[in-house]
Amino acid sequence: MNIQTAVLPPHAEMVRAMLERDTAYEGVFFTAVKTTGIFCRPSCTARKPKPENVEFFAHADDCLSAGYRACLRCKPLDAAAIAPDWVQRLLKAVEADPEVRWSDAQLLAEGIEPLKLRRWFKQHFGMTFHAWLRTRRLGMALGGIKQGASIDHAAFDSGYESLSGFRDAFQKSFHITPGRVAQSEPLLFTRLTTPLGPMIAMAERRGLVLLEFLDRPALTREVEELQNRYGYAVAPGHNAHLQQIEQQLAQYFAGKLNTFTVPLHLPGSEFARQVWSALLQIPYGHTSTYGAIAASLGKPGASRAVGLANGHNRLSIVVPCHRVIGADGSLTGYGGGQPRKAFLLRLENAAVQLTRQLAF
């Protein structure tokens, strides 16, 4: 069994998504045109070929192995979650010297068009590059204050010439004043690459708190709740939990990992935590229903409440809400989009089937 082929959606579904340029299928499959020898994303804006002239692949590498070349318009080799080389070079430069302010003139000197960079960061981080830089510097200031540095030193080390400007920027970014940092918990976030598009991961010292697709409609509400209700100060950064989830996600999508071991921290109501705990008990490659989960919690009439708690899960894939389906077998809702939910279920089922075959 080829696990990559097994995760493809039904043929008719892929034809429909291709003809309608459905962006929900980004990363789910690639289209290869026999008459031109070119392969594309399903959302490519080029003129669509006749369905009989198309074959479908799960990965760009499969298209290349079959002798197809990448479309110059939609650039399927530049995966949606992967930063292009010029962005990666800039990020490495920022990491090497966080003190640099990076004016537009400096960017141009490095061969980077500021407007192009602004658009990329807005699309993939939800903020401009310069806003990201400011937030990153403020995050470093946050860490310094938590370690005992004075507010004055943190302000000037962050490049602010006035304490009032630093305090205003700090409060706007973290929803707390610098003086209240001791009562807050830093929540560091980073952007991750996955075959299904970019994700954002957030973790504090106790564990992973959030893992969501960047295009999830509820993401903004979830982050605001973590800030306003649970007192988190959200800032760009890295820690061991973020490094671990990045590694484990790569193994998961390769069909080589069926149990995540990254520590988790799940702020929420008692009932929501009970539901999320029940989700963690659904075995890899299997599914459950809202009614079955409600019954397992001793509340057989609480199917709707279980569905709401399921929808409020902030840890996609790791807390496997995608394994919950309707009583009639339908996929029902999924914050990351039903095509992604179907992909994840096919991936897990294919890995289970392959494991069984290898056992004989």
Side-chain angles (χ1 to χ4, degrees), residues 13 50 53 59 73 81 108 128 140 154 171 191 195 210 217 219-220 230 251-252 287 291-292 300 302 309 313:
E13 184 179 337
K50 295 180 180 179
N53 293 331
H59 288 278
R73 179 174 295 190
L108 288 169
T128 67
M140 295 171 65
Q171 185 165 4
R191 178 178 170 279
L210 181 144
L219 178 58
T220 299
Y230 298 105
Q251 293 177 311
Y252 170 83
T287 58
N313 170 37

Side-chain angles (χ1 to χ4, degrees), residues 80-135:
I82 298 176
D85 289 342
W86 56 275
V87 172
Q88 292 188 41
R89 289 196 305 271
L90 180 60
L91 293 177
K92 288 179 181 178
V94 170
E95 193 69 31
D97 192 351
E99 302 295 328
V100 177
R101 303 300 293 270
W102 288 100
S103 66
D104 284 356
Q106 288 174 295
L107 292 171
L108 288 169
E110 294 294 326
I112 298 174
E113 169 57 47
L115 182 58
K116 184 179 180 182
L117 179 65
R118 177 187 179 90
R119 288 171 177 165
W120 191 90
F121 262 80
K122 284 289 287 183
Q123 179 182 357
H124 295 277
F125 281 91
M127 64 181 75
T128 67
F129 171 66
H130 291 101
W132 178 81
L133 274 183
R134 287 193 297 272
T135 304

Side-chain angles (χ1 to χ4, degrees), residues 25-354:
Y25 288 80
E26 181 70 36
V28 174
F29 68 88
F30 293 86
T31 64
V33 186
K34 302 173 186 176
T35 52
T36 63
I38 292 174
F39 72 97
C40 305
R41 305 173 187 270
S43 57
C44 184
T45 57
R47 182 179 178 182
K48 292 301 179 183
K50 295 180 180 179
E52 59 266 27
N53 293 331
V54 174
E55 57 181 329
F56 300 99
F57 295 91
H59 288 278
D61 288 349
D62 299 332
C63 299
L64 292 171
S65 298
Y68 290 96
R69 61 186 187 278
C71 172
L72 296 178
R73 179 174 295 190
C74 67
K75 298 180 179 180
L77 291 177
D78 296 339
I82 298 176
D85 289 342
W86 56 275
V87 172
Q88 292 188 41
R89 289 196 305 271
L90 180 60
L91 293 177
K92 288 179 181 178
V94 170
E95 193 69 31
D97 192 351
E99 302 295 328
V100 177
R101 303 300 293 270
W102 288 100
S103 66
D104 284 356
Q106 288 174 295
L107 292 171
L108 288 169
E110 294 294 326
I112 298 174
E113 169 57 47
L115 182 58
K116 184 179 180 182
L117 179 65
R118 177 187 179 90
R119 288 171 177 165
W120 191 90
F121 262 80
K122 284 289 287 183
Q123 179 182 357
H124 295 277
F125 281 91
M127 64 181 75
T128 67
F129 171 66
H130 291 101
W132 178 81
L133 274 183
R134 287 193 297 272
T135 304
R136 191 178 188 278
R137 287 196 297 271
L138 287 169
M140 295 171 65
L142 170 69
I145 295 172
K146 287 286 287 186
Q147 295 299 319
S150 71
I151 295 176
D152 289 8
H153 282 137
F156 295 123
D157 288 346
S158 301
Y160 285 86
E161 297 180 356
S162 72
L163 283 177
S164 60
F166 172 74
R167 292 176 187 276
D168 290 344
F170 195 97
Q171 185 165 4
K172 183 177 180 181
S173 182
F174 300 133
H175 296 250
I176 58 171
T177 63
R180 293 183 56 200
V181 165
Q183 289 78 46
S184 70
E185 181 71 38
L187 185 63
L188 303 181
F189 73 86
T190 191
R191 178 178 170 279
L192 302 179
T193 296
T194 82
L196 295 182
M199 300 187 78
I200 184 171
M202 295 184 170
E204 49 129 290
R205 58 184 173 81
R206 288 170 288 189
L208 190 68
V209 174
L210 181 144
L211 179 67
E212 294 282 22
F213 289 101
L214 277 175
D215 59 4
R216 172 171 164 78
L219 178 58
T220 299
R221 174 186 56 78
E222 290 178 337
V223 174
E224 289 176 348
E225 182 182 40
L226 289 171
Q227 291 175 313
N228 299 330
R229 184 173 181 180
Y230 298 105
Y232 282 111
V234 179
H238 295 278
N239 59 25
H241 305 315
L242 294 176
Q243 182 178 4
Q244 187 176 6
I245 188 55
E246 184 172 16
Q247 295 170 345
Q248 292 189 358
L249 271 181
Q251 293 177 311
Y252 170 83
F253 278 108
K256 299 178 181 178
L257 181 143
N258 56 27
T259 302
F260 290 92
T261 58
V262 59
L264 308 179
H265 182 64
L266 307 172
S269 68
E270 181 180 354
F271 180 74
R273 290 196 301 271
Q274 290 177 353
V275 172
W276 298 336
S277 178
L279 294 177
L280 289 167
Q281 304 308 311
I282 305 174
Y284 179 93
H286 293 72
T287 58
S288 186
T289 65
Y290 301 116
I293 293 175
S296 72
L297 297 177
K299 301 178 181 180
S303 296
R304 180 167 294 184
V306 167
L308 288 173
N310 192 70
H312 290 154
N313 170 37
R314 304 184 196 93
L315 288 168
S316 292
I317 302 178
V318 176
V319 177
C321 55
H322 62 276
R323 295 177 192 161
V324 182
I325 61 175
D328 60 356
S330 61
L331 291 185
T332 67
Y334 182 62
Q338 286 195 4
R340 285 178 175 141
K341 179 171 184 170
F343 178 98
L344 296 173
L345 293 176
R346 287 192 300 269
L347 172 68
E348 295 182 4
N349 183 64
V352 169
Q353 294 300 320
L354 180 60

